[in-house]
Amino acid sequence: EERPELFPFRGIHMVHYFTDNWDQVEAFQARPDDVVVASYPKTGTTWVSQIVDLMYCLDDPSRVHRAPIYERVPFLEMSKTEDFEAGTTILDATPSPRLIKTHLPVQLIPQSFWDNNCKIIYTARNAKDTAVSYFHFSRMNKIQSRAGTWPTFLEEFINGEMVFGSWYDHVRGWWDKKESQPILYLLYEDLKENLPREIDKICRFLGRELSVADKQKVVSQTSFDVMKSSPMANYSTCSAMDHKVSPFMRKGQVGDWKNHFTVVQNERFDEDYKRKMEGTTLMFRTDI
Ligand code: A3P
């Protein structure tokens, strides 16, 4: 496969696939009860999407839950008119309350979400595991397949030459924005450490309540093993991915970076990290 061209776009790097319909993305009309699931790629987006969608389904049994995750929680940047009949997008046709996924950095979020005071759940994951996960994803994903070798990929990650831009800018931008907007900032490592506690946070943030039994259901149905074996969650029905190269539900662990980083790469990464993350109160664990 040819490596799709990465080019500068509004201050980040992008591939055409996500920018061709930019006018539409920018003019997107949010609804006040939209909930946005935002993240940098490979940080637990699908996991959080599955959690929140299950919560909604338990609340409203008429809600469709037997559909792939990318239909239940549509991807804002991929909601193209030509994907759908009669000039409306998949998101237009999604009944409220909608859950909407985005990987956009905070400064590129369509204005309508802020105007409508929409709640946003942002999930971040430590940089090293994110880089590793993104590397394997880039190998198996045909739309943005740009993996190359691990050393090259890691260097590009450090330089922010990734689809959706720099991890450092992304996590910092959203971290700062939560001071002024209704944003719940979750960490992948926290989800791994104590999922029930994080589900409580989500409930509180959304103003929802779950019975003990329902909460238990959400916990068990969003475990790595259950999601990995479910075609509705594991992207096995997505033609843009080649799971033989690397499964979408790959390892689901904290600390897999240790199997990829050499000592030299790790030292270089840490040194650069300090500089890029200087002055922020945002802290990550690379081990739990
Ligand atoms: P790995 O590649 O490290 O396994 P995203 O959904 O943002 O693309 O993130 C994908 C990453 O989240 C993958 O990481 C995937 O395995 C992990 N993941 C997905 N569901 C998970 C779950 N229920 N528990 C733990 N990790 C999960």
Side-chain angles (χ1 to χ4, degrees):
E1 296 258 345
E2 206 179 308
R3 225 170 170 230
E5 198 192 343
L6 196 64
F7 59 91
F9 177 80
R10 306 216 171 190
I12 63 168
H13 281 86
M14 279 297 234
V15 283
H16 273 289
Y17 197 82
F18 296 119
T19 61
D20 285 348
N21 65 328
W22 188 254
D23 289 350
Q24 243 174 301
V25 173
E26 198 167 39
F28 184 79
Q29 289 304 301
R31 304 174 191 158
D33 60 354
D34 285 342
V35 168
V36 181
V37 177
S39 60
Y40 190 77
K42 311 321 292 172
T43 58
T45 326
T46 313
W47 194 3
V48 172
S49 300
Q50 182 76 354
I51 291 168
V52 181
D53 186 57
L54 272 176
M55 284 170 46
Y56 275 42
C57 288
L58 288 166
D59 239 36
D60 172 9
S62 73
R63 198 178 163 95
V64 180
H65 67 278
R66 265 182 266 283
I69 189 67
Y70 48 85
E71 286 174 17
R72 286 176 285 135
V73 186
F75 194 1
L76 176 66
E77 296 84 293
M78 276 176 61
S79 178
K80 296 187 171 75
T81 300
E82 61 265 32
D83 285 351
F84 209 66
E85 60 209 38
T88 55
T89 67
I90 289 164
L91 273 166
D92 291 334
T94 301
S96 289
R98 297 184 295 191
L99 297 172
I100 303 173
K101 163 185 160 177
T102 184
H103 285 321
L104 291 174
V106 72
Q107 71 277 13
L108 295 185
I109 290 295
Q111 181 59 34
S112 182
F113 286 112
W114 308 125
D115 293 344
N116 282 283
N117 214 28
C118 295
K119 289 182 179 169
I120 303 180
I121 302 175
Y122 184 82
T123 309
R125 183 183 193 180
N126 80 75
K128 293 178 185 177
D129 284 328
T130 301
V132 167
S133 183
Y134 210 170
F135 171 66
H136 291 291
F137 180 72
S138 302
R139 293 169 51 230
M140 63 86 77
N141 183 297
K142 298 172 194 164
I143 290 168
Q144 53 182 83
S145 91
R146 354 186 344 95
T149 64
W150 165 244
T152 311
F153 188 90
L154 183 61
E155 210 48 43
E156 289 173 349
F157 183 91
I158 289 172
N159 295 330
E161 290 158 18
M162 295 278 114
V163 182
F164 293 105
S166 150
W167 173 91
Y168 310 85
D169 295 344
H170 208 284
V171 297
R172 291 190 68 156
W174 279 98
W175 182 251
D176 293 343
K177 192 74 170 181
K178 73 178 171 40
E179 300 310 317
S180 57
Q181 297 291 342
I183 296 166
L184 176 67
Y185 203 105
L186 298 175
L187 300 178
Y188 181 91
E189 295 75 25
D190 290 348
L191 292 162
K192 285 291 295 186
E193 182 183 64
N194 190 337
L195 187 54
R197 178 191 66 203
E198 300 302 302
I199 289 175
D200 285 343
K201 275 191 207 166
I202 295 171
C203 283
R204 240 175 290 134
F205 177 69
L206 296 178
R208 284 173 176 255
E209 275 187 52
L210 278 184
S211 68
V212 173
D214 280 352
K215 189 165 125 187
Q216 191 44 49
K217 246 188 231 169
V218 175
V219 169
S220 63
Q221 287 181 33
T222 59
S223 74
F224 180 76
D225 291 338
V226 169
M227 283 180 60
K228 187 177 171 74
S229 64
S230 165
M232 297 302 124
N234 65 15
Y235 277 91
S236 58
T237 55
C238 174
S239 60
M241 299 181 189
D242 186 350
H243 298 262
K244 287 196 292 297
V245 175
S246 176
F248 182 90
M249 294 287 167
R250 198 182 55 88
K251 282 200 178 171
Q253 289 169 6
V254 179
D256 188 41
W257 63 271
K258 289 174 198 161
N259 299 315
H260 292 75
F261 282 64
T262 65
V263 172
V264 172
Q265 283 170 345
N266 195 39
E267 281 170 1
R268 148 129 177 81
F269 194 92
D270 284 345
E271 189 231 327
D272 174 78
Y273 186 93
K274 259 190 235 130
R275 228 171 319 145
K276 292 205 170 87
M277 299 300 278
E278 205 187 329
T280 181
T281 51
L282 175 57
M283 297 289 178
F284 288 93
R285 291 179 289 171
T286 52
D287 219 339
I288 55 169

